[in-house]
Amino acid sequence: MRILARIALVVTLMAVLAQAEVYRVGFAQDTLANDWRKAQVDQALKEAEKYDFLEVTVRDAQASIGAQIMAIESFIREGYDYILTSPIEPTITAVVLQEAIERGIGVVLIDRGISGDAYTSFIAPDNEAIGRQAADYLLHQMGYEGTILMLQGVKGATPTVLRERGFEAVAREHEGVRIIKRRGNYLRQDAIEVVDRLYRDQIGFDAIYAHSDSMLIGARVVMERYEDSRAVPTVGIDYISAAQEAILAGWQTASFTYPTCGQEGIEAIVNLIKGKRVPKQQTI
């Protein structure tokens, strides 16, 4: 009986030690200058606080592809257990993440995907469906005629590609609709610069479809600067607090809620640690 008791004690101690192991998670974030991206990090950190066995390090790439890749490489080099990221660029990043997978590091992508399958799980909302619904709504507001200014997100990023594809699939069904595109990179300041150039070049538009509410805020700044008081229908994505206030004030027509997936990303990592099955693709 004593031998059995000692075996049971050893097993219990081993279980306690296993539970006490700390898993390091490296979050290679695109930028913290974007309201939605900062909220994504905040939600991930808040979820991680629930688990004593998680240690999360956030590195801000400041919208630089090179800096984000360097951050991922540093997580690999330092032997992190998991990498959480929303890739700015899908192709080069895939090469680096392939190395992480080969070294046994779990890779969880949130919001943005990569080329190939060098990841453990990819979690994102249905961006193409959002683009289609945005077009249905905005075209109806315009009476299916006029010029739409599309403020695009980061070039090549999964949400950018899909939000554009879904919108155009609906818009091309209506001959009276024209789209002009400008790259705002999901950033307020970038949107201010490109929209200001439109006004200086006297290029008009009748409605705005922005891939993020942050860019739509930038567009409004320019419209106010040029004293453009037209009731232009505007649709954004993310439903950040500034967009909510703008809708209530009548400055913005609509916005689409867009989960950050920060919480879901941490949940996926916790489930992987616990040995639970995590789907390769998860649509929020």
Side-chain angles (χ1 to χ4, degrees):
M1 293 295 291
R2 289 179 181 176
I3 293 173
L4 289 174
R6 286 175 183 171
I7 292 172
L9 178 61
V10 170
V11 170
T12 302
L13 286 171
M14 288 177 66
V16 170
L17 288 171
Q19 290 175 359
E21 183 177 357
V22 174
Y23 295 86
R24 295 194 299 165
V25 179
F27 192 161
Q29 181 58 300
D30 171 353
T31 178
L32 294 177
N34 175 280
D35 298 335
W36 188 86
R37 289 284 160 200
K38 186 178 183 303
Q40 188 179 56
V41 168
D42 291 343
Q43 288 189 13
L45 292 175
K46 183 178 179 181
E47 182 65 19
E49 287 176 358
K50 299 177 183 178
Y51 306 98
D52 294 335
F53 54 82
L54 286 184
E55 180 183 293
V56 181
T57 301
V58 179
R59 289 179 184 160
D60 178 9
Q62 298 181 351
S64 165
I65 297 170
Q68 187 177 53
I69 288 172
M70 285 176 65
I72 294 170
E73 287 177 334
S74 69
F75 290 139
I76 296 171
R77 188 170 58 250
E78 295 164 23
Y80 274 67
D81 301 290
Y82 294 91
I83 291 174
L84 183 67
T85 187
S86 184
I88 302 172
E89 193 280 335
T91 307
I92 304 172
T93 312
V95 176
V96 184
L97 292 177
Q98 181 64 48
E99 182 183 350
I101 291 292
E102 289 173 356
R103 293 198 182 195
I105 299 172
V107 174
V108 176
L109 308 178
I110 50 176
D111 170 50
R112 295 176 182 166
I114 57 172
S115 303
D117 61 352
Y119 57 89
T120 310
S121 186
F122 172 33
I123 307 168
D126 190 335
N127 284 284
E128 191 166 353
I130 289 173
R132 289 194 300 269
Q133 292 175 36
D136 284 335
Y137 180 82
L138 192 58
L139 267 59
H140 176 72
Q141 295 293 315
M142 298 169 61
Y144 302 95
E145 189 171 11
T147 300
I148 300 170
L149 167 60
M150 180 188 294
L151 292 174
Q152 303 161 292
V154 173
K155 184 178 180 179
T158 312
T160 303
V161 173
L162 296 177
R163 290 172 186 181
E164 189 167 331
R165 181 189 300 169
F167 192 92
E168 288 187 319
V170 174
R172 71 170 61 100
E173 297 175 1
H174 303 277
E175 294 180 359
V177 174
R178 175 174 172 261
I179 299 175
I180 56 174
K181 303 175 185 178
R182 293 295 183 272
R183 184 78 57 193
N185 299 310
Y186 296 118
L187 297 174
R188 190 176 311 181
Q189 186 56 43
D190 286 15
I192 289 174
E193 292 173 8
V194 296
V195 176
D196 185 76
R197 196 171 302 122
L198 283 177
Y199 274 85
R200 283 189 280 113
D201 294 342
Q202 298 184 337
I203 298 174
F205 55 86
D206 305 299
I208 303 175
Y209 166 50
H211 289 181
S212 76
D213 285 320
S214 293
M215 292 190 291
L216 201 47
I217 293 168
R220 282 199 298 272
V221 168
V222 177
M223 292 179 74
E224 291 173 10
R225 181 183 298 169
Y226 284 87
E227 299 181 351
D228 187 347
S229 58
R230 293 177 300 152
V232 174
T234 58
V235 174
I237 301 169
D238 293 339
Y239 199 53
I240 58 177
S241 58
Q244 296 170 31
E245 293 168 4
I247 290 170
L248 288 172
W251 301 330
Q252 181 170 332
T253 315
S255 177
F256 282 81
T257 56
Y258 191 76
T260 70
C261 305
Q263 176 184 336
E264 290 82 359
I266 294 297
E267 287 175 349
I269 289 171
V270 170
N271 286 332
L272 288 167
I273 291 170
K274 292 180 177 180
K276 296 182 180 180
R277 180 185 172 278
V278 174
K280 184 85 171 176
Q281 302 273 351
Q282 299 185 58
T283 300
I284 304 300

